[in-house]
Amino acid sequence: YVLKPTFTAQHIAHLDKQAKLSRAYDGTTYLPGIVGLNNIKANDYANAVLQALSNVPPLRNYFLEEENYRRIQRPPGAIMFLLVQRFGELMRKLWNPRNFKAHVSPHEMLQAVVLCSKKNFQITKQG
C-alpha cells in the first residue's frame, strides 16, 4: 500500500470532510495531503506548485483514482502521458494515510518534467 496506494470513490469523497491525523513509522504524525516534499537540488519552486495543485479538490480527486486516466488512448511513442502517470502517483503518495514518513519524494514526477520538456526545465536549476 505504501508503494502504490489506492483510493476508493468513498474514501476520496470523505477527504475534505474528516481531517484525521496519521502516524508515520517513526512516530511522527501528519495530515494526509499536508506532507513535505523532499528538496532535490533546486526544485523548491516546483514543490510549491505541486503542493498547491495537490490541494485543488477536483484535480486531486481525479488523480487519486487511477482508473480515471489509465485507459487514455495515446499515439505510439508519445511521452507526455508520463506526466499524467507521475502526477497521479505523486498525488496518491501525498494523500496516503499509511505513509512511512511525513514527507514524500517528488523525484519521479520531476524527472518526467525534465524528460517531457526536453530538458528546458531542470531540477538542478531554479526555473
Side-chain angles (χ1 to χ4, degrees), residues 33-75:
I34 312 296
V35 297
L37 284 170
N38 294 347
N39 194 16
I40 306 166
K41 299 279 183 180
N43 71 304
D44 49 335
Y45 66 96
N47 285 353
V49 171
L50 292 169
Q51 284 283 12
L53 291 173
S54 76
N55 283 282
V56 176
L59 186 65
R60 173 201 65 201
N61 295 352
Y62 179 83
F63 281 97
L64 286 179
E65 197 167 345
E66 189 177 7
E67 195 58 38
N68 287 333
Y69 54 89
R70 184 185 317 192
R71 298 193 176 144
I72 293 175
Q73 297 294 319
R74 53 197 180 274

Side-chain angles (χ1 to χ4, degrees), residues 37-53 106 109-111 113-114 117 119-127:
L37 284 170
N38 294 347
N39 194 16
I40 306 166
K41 299 279 183 180
N43 71 304
D44 49 335
Y45 66 96
N47 285 353
V49 171
L50 292 169
Q51 284 283 12
L53 291 173
M109 176 66 202
L110 295 172
Q111 289 291 22
V113 170
V114 171
S117 74
K119 299 188 178 182
N120 286 325
F121 293 99
Q122 296 284 326
I123 61 175
T124 57
K125 297 182 219 164
Q126 288 287 355

